[in-house]
Amino acid sequence: MQLTVLGSTGSIGTSTLDVVSRHAGAIQIFALTAHRQVDVMLRQCAQFSPIFAVMTDPEAARQLESKLKSEGLATRVLVGPDALIDVVTDARVQAVMASIVGAAGLPPSLAAAQAGKRLLLANKESIVLGGQLFIDAVKGGGATLLPIDSEHSAIFQSLPEDPRVWDSRIDKIILTASGGPFRTRDPATLSQVTPQEAVAHPNWSMGRKISVDSATMMNKALEVIEAHHLFGVKPEQIEVVIHPQSVIHSMVQYRDNSVVAQLGTPDMRVPIAYGLSWPERITSGASALDFSQLNALTFETPDLRRFPGLQLAWDALNGVQGGSAKLNAANEVAVESFLNGKIRFDQIHAVNAEVLAQEGHIQPQSLADLFELDAWARAMAEDWVVRHGQ
Ligand code: NDP
Ligand code: MG
């Protein structure tokens, strides 16, 4: 199988290449893509010999080209966001791992869907922004969509293979959440949280953006929206439960109140390996659960005073069309502003709630509308940061 990895230098990208390295005979790398991390990309090219390496940043592309040349490596460098489309739609590519962070990942994910590829989707922002249009592109292009987000992979593994029976059998989807680093912190002190504290997740090692999202639980809000689109369930059929040990990765409750769950150590190589091998199973490199060491599995209801952002998922899904797109854009700006020291941690929610509540903009009917709405919401969020930030 020829695979393109979008965002290969990130947390999911490197875990994907780790799994691929265990199955070198069966999976070949067609292309790798990154934004700026030239040296990581250089090492990946030396190890996996892709035909193409894309750097979306032009200066990084120039540097990579000269370094590849001086090391005598044959990988060809392509530059810019358009090249991402070329390396997913190429007829030689069978599978695409979509692991770019943020809405920047939507155009290539959508192109892979339209081109009918096997699409391993880690980039949740692209389905939150793309919504039904994204699902329609998957259906229209005849693509196979395999969720990589651990919760959605767990649900996918707990559901029957035939999606046509899902609607008549599912009662609800139960998404588990670790609760992140601030699960037990006094909500009154959340205004003092530093970026360093916010990115230090207790159970998972991830990129900076999703780590902050986990600390606010906006990650779970995005996952509620993601589950709604992936599994065709109504917003009120989705429930979130805090499970600090991150052993149960999510569950499906059926009409008869039987609950099916997927368990494992918290290691993204498990959902990645399943995405690569589905419907078969291959080794992932993850360690097995040791039940003799598991003292207790505990569950809590999320405290909305500590995690007010969680509620925004239902507000967005039950409100006017385009709410999810607005929420995602606001959150990307808010997280970036927090990491750059422009706003406090608790102000991330203020930005998101304010932008989501803004009315009077277009009801998106097309992808162009969605990108217009995305840009509009980003401008609103940036304006908020300028007015209220430090
Ligand atoms: P990282 O920040 O670790 O990696 C992001 C990747 O995207 C890097 O390769 C980066 O390149 C590239 N990139 C960043 N900005 C752009 C851009 N504007 N255009 C093109 N490429 C870009 O993120 P993660 O791997 O943690 O997350 C990736 C996605 O997967 C996110 O959507 C996240 O929500 C989702 N996900 C992640 C999980 C995890 O465990 N990490 C779990 C579940 C979902 P460079 O390195 O050069 O900057
Ligand atoms: Mg997840």
Side-chain angles (χ1 to χ4, degrees):
M1 182 168 78
Q2 291 274 342
L3 174 71
T4 285
V5 182
L6 299 168
S8 66
T9 52
S11 164
I12 294 287
T14 49
S15 295
T16 302
L17 292 177
D18 181 275
V19 178
V20 168
S21 69
R22 295 162 197 276
H23 304 280
I27 308 168
Q28 290 86 42
I29 299 297
F30 179 78
L32 298 175
T33 88
H35 189 43
R36 289 210 179 101
Q37 288 204 70
V38 174
D39 290 332
V40 181
M41 178 59 93
L42 183 67
R43 286 199 298 278
Q44 292 182 342
C45 289
Q47 188 180 350
F48 294 94
S49 310
I51 299 175
F52 297 108
V54 180
M55 300 302 291
T56 39
D57 178 73
E59 178 50 34
R62 271 191 291 279
Q63 284 181 22
L64 180 67
E65 197 151 28
S66 87
K67 289 186 181 195
L68 283 168
K69 205 169 169 188
S70 68
E71 299 212 1
L73 296 169
T75 297
R76 278 185 54 198
V77 178
L78 303 176
V79 58
D82 290 347
L84 299 175
I85 310 290
D86 298 336
V87 296
V88 300
T89 54
D90 192 291
R92 289 168 285 181
V93 174
Q94 278 114 33
V96 174
M97 163 57 84
S99 53
I100 287 173
V101 59
L106 178 58
S109 301
L110 199 72
Q114 286 161 340
K117 307 295 184 188
R118 179 187 186 100
L119 177 56
L120 284 67
L121 187 74
N123 176 215
K124 66 190 82 186
E125 295 91 346
S126 62
I127 194 160
V128 171
L129 173 58
Q132 193 55 42
L133 285 168
F134 187 87
I135 297 296
D136 291 346
V138 169
K139 288 193 183 134
T144 305
L145 184 58
L146 296 159
I148 299 301
D149 214 344
S150 58
E151 295 76 4
H152 305 75
S153 175
I155 294 160
F156 185 65
Q157 293 181 57
S158 303
L159 283 170
E161 216 163 273
D162 183 356
R164 288 171 300 185
V165 304
W166 292 354
D167 182 45
S168 62
R169 294 191 191 173
I170 299 173
D171 178 40
K172 64 180 175 189
I173 297 275
I174 304 163
L175 291 174
T176 51
S178 69
F182 307 135
R183 182 175 61 88
T184 55
R185 185 167 168 145
D186 177 0
T189 67
L190 287 175
S191 59
Q192 292 142 35
V193 162
T194 64
Q196 210 182 356
E197 289 174 301
V199 300
H201 197 279
N203 304 353
W204 299 91
S205 154
M206 310 180 286
R208 282 162 71 79
K209 198 264 176 178
I210 184 174
S211 296
V212 176
D213 285 346
S214 298
T216 58
M217 277 192 84
M218 266 308 293
N219 180 50
K220 212 51 54 180
L222 298 177
E223 290 181 357
V224 167
I225 299 171
E226 184 183 7
H228 163 71
H229 293 299
L230 284 176
F231 306 114
V233 288
K234 298 187 189 77
E236 60 271 23
Q237 284 179 288
I238 308 171
E239 193 176 298
V240 172
V241 61
I242 292 186
H243 165 48
Q245 296 81 15
S246 297
V247 169
I248 297 178
H249 298 307
S250 278
M251 312 177 242
V252 177
Q253 179 168 306
Y254 286 92
R255 288 280 151 97
D256 55 1
N257 285 344
S258 167
V259 178
V260 178
Q262 186 260 346
L263 286 70
T265 46
D267 188 326
M268 287 307 294
R269 290 176 298 180
V270 175
I272 291 167
Y274 193 59
L276 289 169
S277 64
W278 177 87
E280 301 300 327
R281 299 266 177 181
I282 56 174
T283 54
S284 64
S287 53
L289 271 181
D290 180 353
F291 283 91
S292 69
Q293 298 297 313
L294 280 181
N295 299 324
L297 299 183
T298 60
F299 305 93
E300 299 161 19
T301 304
D303 176 356
L304 290 178
R305 284 176 312 139
R306 188 178 277 111
F307 302 117
L310 185 56
Q311 179 59 39
L312 297 180
W314 287 274
D315 295 350
L317 288 173
N318 292 325
V320 293
Q321 221 183 322
S324 303
K326 283 194 285 183
L327 181 58
N328 180 65
N331 186 53
E332 286 194 31
V333 171
V335 170
E336 189 68 30
S337 303
F338 166 67
L339 287 172
N340 293 334
K342 292 184 190 160
I343 60 170
R344 297 189 315 265
F345 181 77
D346 58 311
Q347 289 178 311
I348 295 174
H349 175 65
V351 175
N352 293 346
E354 167 118 353
V355 173
L356 181 61
Q358 294 291 330
E359 281 175 26
H361 203 73
I362 48 167
Q363 304 256 320
Q365 308 293 335
S366 67
L367 200 64
D369 290 351
L370 276 178
F371 280 116
E372 192 184 324
L373 189 56
D374 175 78
W376 175 84
R378 274 169 208 272
M380 299 282 305
E382 266 149 20
D383 180 57
W384 194 100
V385 170
V386 169
R387 281 187 290 115
H388 302 276
Q390 45 240 356

